[in-house]
Amino acid sequence: MRLHRQARFNKLHSMPFHAIRLRISAAKPYLQAWPQIPAGPMFTKSFRVFSILGFRISIDLSWFFLAALIVWSLATGFFPETLPGRTAQTYYPIAAVAALGMFASIIFHELAHALVARHYDIKIAGITLFIFGGVAELEDEPPTAKSEFLVAIAGPISSVILAAALYGLTAILPQATAPEIFALLDYLSVINLVLAIFNLVPAFPLDGGRMLRAALWWAQGSLRKATRVAAILGAVLGVGLMAYGAYNSTQGFLVGGMWQVLIGYFIFNAASGAQRQAEVMEALRGVSVRQLMQAPPPGIPAHLTVDQVAGHPDLGPGDAVFPVTDNGKIVGLVQLSQLEKIPPGRRAAMSMREAASPLQADETIGADRTAIAALRQLGRTRANQAFVLVDGEISGWISARDIFAYINRGKAMRVSESGPAVG
């Protein structure tokens, strides 16, 4: 039988709170350690699943924990309350379908962000599902307040449209349709509406916070000041959510309360790092890789043995990465510290060709890419370095250390121009 509309919304309180997807800032938290070298992306280990409309869809390992938790909570809580009298053999399959539907909704939401970003020539690394939901990985900041606003609002609009479509579908299905179908569609329509409403909260890094930042940016003409206000509101939201979750944990809602605490902590951390990220983005706005790249390191001949190379005083620190070449062509990369791990007995017979590892796609970058995009990419590479390509040939290299040195020089120059502090 068809669920009563009011009853559907009365059951909203029983939905697992972790089903509310949070969108993080496009500038990921590995910039929070500024001015140090970025530690790496937020994800533990992600792998590509498929592509859609030219965007890579990846799943982080943490997502599987979230998926299992959602299926369990729906199968033991929400659906038994909505569809009483069934067995676990009914609840778990429908819960699994509902979880897949929810993650499809997240991808739909992120695709809306990505498509609008593409319209404004903002590069998208892909979409990744992880423990807190999903994120469209924008490689560059939106160039204007207008593009920032439209990229941000596209997600909530898409979720509202999807919620309305699912709700409308329940209205046109025949009365004889299985109640499980109505329950599934009811759940997905409401969860999409919740996603839209929650993401409209005007606190960074939620979509509403990015929309507020865009409005303040347009009004004040300063992205840095706009980010500061939006970040403060985000931090307040995070603290409030943690307090609310802690209270719920003491009132018999331990699992839901703990998730609220974790999500609140996640928002607080992302919002707290937003100001530092904005400073980095502002310092690098308009700067290209070509402007910051260094001369390429000398290639190590592939025929040399590890014994001949390891510990050579002219090669620099152990974290340095060098190309291994054969007749001028790169056959791989080697990090000096890795050579020290090779057993001494094997070094004399092992060539550098054998010791080298293949050059990965993210270990090269175009000279005309922005420094902002480079910094994000370098967080995923060995020793935070990459080779710079010009017309397909290696003409230099760039490291995160080079980029942060440029930022620090600019900061020192601004301090020098403003004069010594008084008092």
Side-chain angles (χ1 to χ4, degrees):
M1 60 181 174
R2 193 185 303 270
L3 291 175
H4 190 277
R5 303 298 184 195
Q6 185 61 43
R8 174 192 312 160
F9 291 98
N10 288 342
K11 289 185 174 63
L12 180 59
H13 71 276
S14 66
M15 287 188 178
F17 188 85
H18 52 268
I20 299 178
R21 188 212 54 96
L22 302 177
R23 181 178 183 275
I24 67 167
S25 165
K28 296 179 288 188
Y30 59 70
L31 290 178
Q32 291 180 9
W34 180 77
Q36 300 173 1
I37 300 300
M42 88 175 80
F43 307 120
T44 53
K45 176 67 176 178
S46 60
F47 54 92
R48 181 172 180 164
V49 181
F50 60 90
S51 294
I52 182 170
L53 301 178
F55 300 110
R56 181 205 73 228
I57 309 297
S58 301
I59 291 180
D60 183 73
L61 290 178
S62 62
W63 174 85
F64 291 98
F65 173 76
L66 176 62
L69 186 59
I70 288 177
V71 170
W72 171 79
S73 60
L74 290 176
T76 59
F78 179 74
F79 285 120
E81 183 179 338
T82 304
L83 298 166
R86 273 72 167 179
T87 64
Q89 285 72 21
T90 298
Y91 294 135
Y92 273 96
I94 193 173
V97 174
L100 290 175
M102 193 194 78
F103 286 115
S105 299
I106 292 172
I107 293 174
F108 186 79
H109 181 113
E110 297 300 340
L111 279 174
H113 288 304
L115 288 170
V116 177
R118 175 187 283 174
H119 175 75
Y120 286 101
D121 295 324
I122 303 169
K123 291 183 173 62
I124 306 293
I127 294 170
T128 300
L129 298 177
F130 70 120
I131 192 168
F132 289 113
V135 58
E137 300 174 58
L138 281 67
E139 290 194 350
D140 297 310
E141 285 289 291
T144 64
K146 177 183 176 181
S147 60
E148 163 89 325
F149 185 89
L150 293 178
V151 170
I153 200 173
I157 288 176
S158 69
S159 292
V160 169
I161 291 173
L162 186 56
L166 292 167
Y167 184 90
L169 187 57
T170 65
I172 63 175
L173 285 176
Q175 292 287 339
T177 302
E180 289 80 5
I181 300 298
F182 283 114
L184 178 63
L185 293 174
D186 282 333
Y187 169 77
L188 293 176
S189 65
V190 173
I191 205 64
N192 273 280
L193 185 60
V194 171
L195 291 176
I197 293 173
F198 189 81
N199 273 281
L200 285 173
V201 173
F204 205 84
L206 302 179
D207 294 332
R210 296 184 70 88
M211 292 160 59
L212 173 63
R213 184 173 76 157
L216 293 172
W217 182 9
W218 176 81
Q220 300 177 344
S222 172
L223 176 60
R224 185 177 300 179
K225 292 179 181 178
T227 302
R228 183 181 301 117
V229 174
I232 289 173
L233 291 176
V236 170
L237 172 66
V239 171
L241 195 51
M242 285 189 284
Y244 181 64
Y247 170 77
N248 282 339
S249 296
T250 65
Q251 301 299 308
F253 304 102
L254 181 61
V255 174
M258 291 306 297
W259 270 100
Q260 291 161 10
V261 170
L262 287 174
I263 293 175
Y265 179 71
F266 175 80
I267 293 177
F268 177 81
N269 270 350
S272 298
Q275 180 59 35
R276 294 189 293 275
Q277 293 168 5
E279 291 177 359
V280 171
M281 300 307 154
E282 191 70 21
L284 297 180
R285 187 172 295 277
V287 179
S288 70
V289 168
R290 189 186 300 274
Q291 295 171 260
L292 302 181
M293 71 182 189
Q294 306 292 324
I300 298 176
H303 67 272
L304 293 181
T305 65
V306 173
D307 232 3
Q308 292 174 297
V309 175
H312 197 288
D314 295 336
L315 291 180
D319 64 347
V321 176
F322 286 86
V324 176
T325 59
D326 185 6
N327 293 323
K329 294 184 178 181
I330 291 182
V331 296
L333 295 180
V334 64
Q335 188 168 2
L336 299 183
S337 59
Q338 297 300 314
L339 298 181
E340 300 297 332
K341 298 178 181 179
I342 298 174
R346 297 181 55 198
R347 295 180 188 179
M350 179 180 288
S351 70
M352 291 303 298
R353 180 189 296 274
E354 297 173 276
S357 56
L359 184 66
Q360 303 297 321
D362 60 7
E363 291 176 324
T364 63
I365 189 169
D368 294 324
R369 294 291 300 280
T370 67
I372 295 174
L375 189 57
R376 294 198 176 98
Q377 180 174 324
L378 292 173
R380 301 189 296 267
T381 64
R382 283 172 283 187
N384 306 116
Q385 304 173 93
F387 291 92
V388 181
L389 300 180
V390 175
D391 297 326
E393 298 292 330
I394 290 179
S395 62
W397 71 344
I398 189 168
S399 70
R401 193 173 281 110
D402 297 328
I403 298 177
F404 283 119
Y406 171 84
I407 294 172
N408 288 331
R409 286 195 301 271
K411 185 178 180 181
M413 187 177 297
R414 287 192 298 274
V415 171
S416 176
E417 290 173 351
S418 64
V422 178

